[in-house]
């Protein structure tokens, strides 16, 4: 196989194309069965945005190989991160990430985190689900958004004064209170291919002035969650599909990270 498009690196007998934004992949030589006539892909969608409580879910994560490829130009779409939305006592949900696609395969954008669920907020579902919001009254438990099998995991649950972590490509988001009373859940861990972890979930909000630490973003670009007395909140890292962290304070929750498409083949 031989192709052009994106940012290209070469190592040994293999070429790898990195698409940090949408573009075109032009296969000029389709190869043959005696050498190589397939390509390996990693397609990561944009991560979901954080909101006042629940962390954003990671963008859908698909790794695999095509069947026999043919010559021609193929569109590569890279999804953007979902919008982070400041909210506490309301029904807001963070924005969903944009889809990414290549060669007929699509990864779905991550779901946004939820705010106050007993006020009617609902975590977003997607490649990975957004973290659940909290309950300000009775000690109820709310489910995180759903992830898509083969692309990601569910968001963590939320409970009284603690948000769930966003789901990651490699693991479910941690539940609110799992680290202790009123501590937000960490984002779910991402997955590892092409030399790096990507697709980590965003951290949920911690309602504790004496928190040992705010919730961390999942390994692989997830943004850290905030505590009630801090604005140290992280966005999803660019080109990882990481979910955005959530903030209760007016500093605002953070956007999800943009996605990426990586394509590799043997060229000699």
């Amino acid at each position: 196989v031989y192709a052009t498009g994106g940012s290209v690196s070469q190592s040994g007998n293999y070429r790898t194309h990195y698409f940090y934004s949408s573009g075109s992949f032009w296969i000029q030589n389709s190869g043959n069965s005696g050498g190589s006539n397939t390509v390996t892909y990693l397609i990561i969608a944009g991560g979901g945005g954080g909101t006042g409580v629940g962390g954003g879910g990671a963008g859908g994560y698909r790794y695999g190989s095509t069947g026999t490829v043919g010559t021609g130009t193929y569109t590569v779409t890279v999804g953007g991160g979902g919008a982070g939305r400041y909210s506490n006592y309301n029904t807001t949900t963070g924005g969903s990430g944009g889809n990414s696609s290549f060669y007929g395969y699509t990864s779905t954008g991550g779901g946004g985190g939820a705010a106050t669920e007993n006020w009617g907020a609902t975590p977003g579902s997607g490649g990975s689900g957004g973290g659940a919001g909290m309950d300000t009254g009775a000690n109820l438990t709310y489910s995180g958004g759903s992830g898509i099998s083969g692309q990601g995991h569910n968001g963590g649950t939320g409970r009284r004064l603690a948000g769930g972590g966003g789901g990651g490509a490699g693991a479910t988001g941690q539940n609110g209170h799992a680290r202790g009373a009123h501590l937000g859940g960490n984002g779910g861990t991402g997955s590892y291919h092409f030399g790096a972890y990507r697709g980590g979930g965003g951290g949920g909000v911690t309602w504790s002035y004496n928190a040992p630490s705010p919730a961390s973003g999942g390994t692989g670009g997830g943004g850290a969650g905030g505590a009630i007395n801090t604005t140290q909140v992280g966005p999803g890292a660019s080109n990882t599909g990481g979910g955005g962290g959530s903030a209760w304070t007016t500093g605002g929750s953070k956007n999800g990270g943009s996605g990426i498409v990586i394509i590799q083949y043997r060229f000699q």
Side-chain angles (χ1 to χ4, degrees):
V1 178
Y2 187 84
T4 58
S7 178
V8 184
S9 67
Q10 189 168 302
S11 178
N13 296 324
Y14 291 87
R15 283 168 60 90
T16 307
H17 297 243
Y18 295 83
F19 285 85
Y20 302 107
S21 59
S22 298
S24 295
F25 182 70
W26 179 24
I27 300 177
Q28 301 173 40
N29 184 340
S30 59
N32 61 71
S33 59
S36 171
N37 57 6
T38 65
V39 302
T40 299
Y41 58 81
L42 175 61
I43 305 169
I44 303 178
T51 186
V53 183
Y61 187 110
R62 296 186 65 164
Y63 174 80
S65 296
T66 66
T68 302
V69 297
T71 57
T73 301
Y74 299 88
T75 298
V76 175
T77 301
V78 176
R85 293 171 177 157
Y86 169 67
S87 61
N88 41 40
Y89 292 112
N90 63 35
T91 63
T92 301
T93 297
S96 295
N99 296 347
S100 294
S101 61
F102 163 68
Y103 209 79
Y105 303 99
T106 299
S107 292
T108 303
T116 312
E117 295 223 21
N118 61 310
W119 285 42
T122 303
S125 295
S128 283
M134 72 177 187
D135 171 28
T136 57
N139 193 23
L140 302 177
T141 299
Y142 298 93
S143 297
S146 298
I148 297 174
S149 177
Q151 295 192 31
H153 293 78
N154 296 345
T157 61
R159 285 178 57 197
R160 178 166 170 75
L161 304 181
T172 299
Q174 190 178 40
N175 297 334
H177 287 248
R179 301 186 300 131
H182 308 320
L183 301 184
N186 297 329
T189 300
S191 292
Y192 185 92
H193 288 102
F194 294 112
Y197 279 93
R198 301 176 179 88
V205 158
T206 287
W207 185 276
S208 174
Y209 288 96
N210 300 308
S213 64
S216 63
T219 302
I228 191 171
N229 59 342
T230 180
T231 58
Q232 296 176 351
V233 183
S238 297
N239 297 123
T240 68
S246 285
W248 183 265
T249 57
T250 55
S253 298
K254 300 301 181 179
N255 296 345
S258 55
I260 190 171
V261 174
I262 303 175
I263 305 166
Q264 186 180 77
Y265 53 85
R266 182 169 181 152
F267 77 99
Q268 68 176 13

